[in-house]
Amino acid sequence: MSEVLLRQEDREKFIALFLEENAVHNLSAARTSEAVGALVEDSLAVAGLLELREGQSLLDVGTGGGFPGLVLAQAIPGLSVTLLDAVQKKCSAVGRLATALNRTNVQVCCGRAETLAHQEDLREQFDVVVAKAVAALPTLLELTVPFLAREGVLVAYKGPRYEEELLQSRTAQSELGVELTEVHAYTLGQETEPRSLLFFRRTGSLSDRYPRRDGLPKKSPLL
Ligand code: SAH
């Protein structure tokens, strides 16, 4: 699937640039082409499932070194992609990577989701929000859902044991007005444990209260 979405030469360019940036700025534990290749592959897992279309907007909350958002921006040039992270060093690095990859469809927003989600130009603005390895689901929903446009879709990248998180997120789902619509299991390369993509759709209204102030969604999740 991903071969279709990211040409071999684009993939190699991404991996080479990422390794260069990572060697200097320490963005990720992935230090070999294979390891970065796996992150690229994982990032693309959502692309064939969502029918991401030209002109849609996608936000990656907690993008770190650009996964999955920067990879999706490279694979789907018509998608308008915003990469968000709280750490300035990571924001600068993904900004440099986006420039080196000639990505004109990428913007970087540096700051905490708790704060940025109350900003008018970001709140309830995105067709799709994605997040990978950022927080447990009750916290993650509070950090991501406020960015979703009405009827927007959130995709949470999770591991094989997502069920408990899902059960714990019932309150967060109803408070924030989202419903789980699909769970997609997939495996990467030689791995035997499946990974999962959890799809949520925004269906309800959103209170101004959310997200609560910096740190609270993690310290005191909506349980
Ligand atoms: N998605 C990337 C990075 C995961 S590490 C990957 O899968 O490789 C988690 C990232 O989320 C870190 O870069 C951290 O700075 C960011 N993050 C965590 N909490 C955040 C918050 N409240 N607001 C913004 N970014 C956050």
Side-chain angles (χ1 to χ4, degrees):
M1 173 183 76
S2 50
E3 265 75 22
V4 179
L5 288 157
L6 197 57
R7 289 179 304 161
Q8 188 64 25
E9 61 190 279
D10 287 339
R11 175 188 303 256
E12 281 166 11
K13 190 171 176 196
F14 184 100
I15 292 172
L17 287 169
F18 183 85
L19 285 172
E20 244 174 64
E21 191 69 44
N22 200 25
V24 185
H25 297 287
N26 200 18
L27 304 170
S28 153
R31 306 231 166 253
T32 62
S33 302
E34 291 68 35
V36 181
L39 290 176
V40 169
E41 201 69 30
D42 197 18
S43 296
L44 292 171
V46 74
L49 298 168
L50 260 185
E51 295 177 32
L52 294 168
R53 288 187 306 278
E54 301 262 320
Q56 278 190 324
S57 56
L58 177 144
L59 172 73
D60 182 9
V61 174
T63 193
F67 305 102
L70 185 56
V71 180
L72 293 169
Q74 199 193 15
I76 310 169
L79 195 62
S80 168
V81 174
T82 304
L83 307 174
L84 184 155
D85 204 282
V87 176
Q88 182 61 55
K89 178 180 89 166
K90 297 187 179 179
C91 295
S92 306
V94 287
R96 279 192 299 273
L97 282 170
T99 305
L101 291 164
N102 299 318
R103 294 273 45 93
T104 52
N105 59 332
V106 172
Q107 289 188 53
V108 181
C109 275
C110 202
R112 292 191 66 99
E114 291 93 323
T115 308
L116 293 175
H118 289 283
Q119 215 171 278
E120 209 179 319
D121 57 335
L122 295 170
R123 189 172 182 84
E124 299 188 73
Q125 293 301 313
F126 294 89
D127 299 312
V128 181
V129 175
V130 293
K132 180 172 159 285
V134 175
L137 214 43
T139 302
L140 189 70
L141 290 175
E142 187 171 353
L143 296 178
T144 54
V145 171
F147 291 105
L148 279 178
R150 277 195 169 264
E151 302 293 314
V153 174
L154 165 71
V155 187
Y157 283 67
K158 288 285 168 187
R161 280 169 288 280
Y162 61 85
E163 279 97 348
E164 198 183 329
E165 280 187 41
L166 203 50
L167 285 176
Q168 286 172 346
S169 74
R170 288 236 175 100
T171 304
Q173 287 181 49
S174 67
E175 271 295 298
L176 295 156
V178 286
E179 282 171 10
L180 180 77
T181 55
E182 194 191 334
V183 178
H184 175 78
Y186 63 106
T187 46
L188 273 191
Q190 308 299 316
E191 285 181 3
T192 47
E193 292 245 291
R195 296 172 182 234
S196 38
L197 296 174
L198 273 48
F199 291 76
F200 295 88
R201 183 173 289 282
R202 228 197 107 188
T203 49
S205 57
L206 177 68
S207 159
D208 290 347
R209 270 202 305 281
Y210 300 122
R212 290 164 296 160
R213 65 183 161 75
D214 286 7
L216 262 192
K218 184 166 180 196
K219 196 172 148 208
S220 173
L222 297 167
L223 292 177

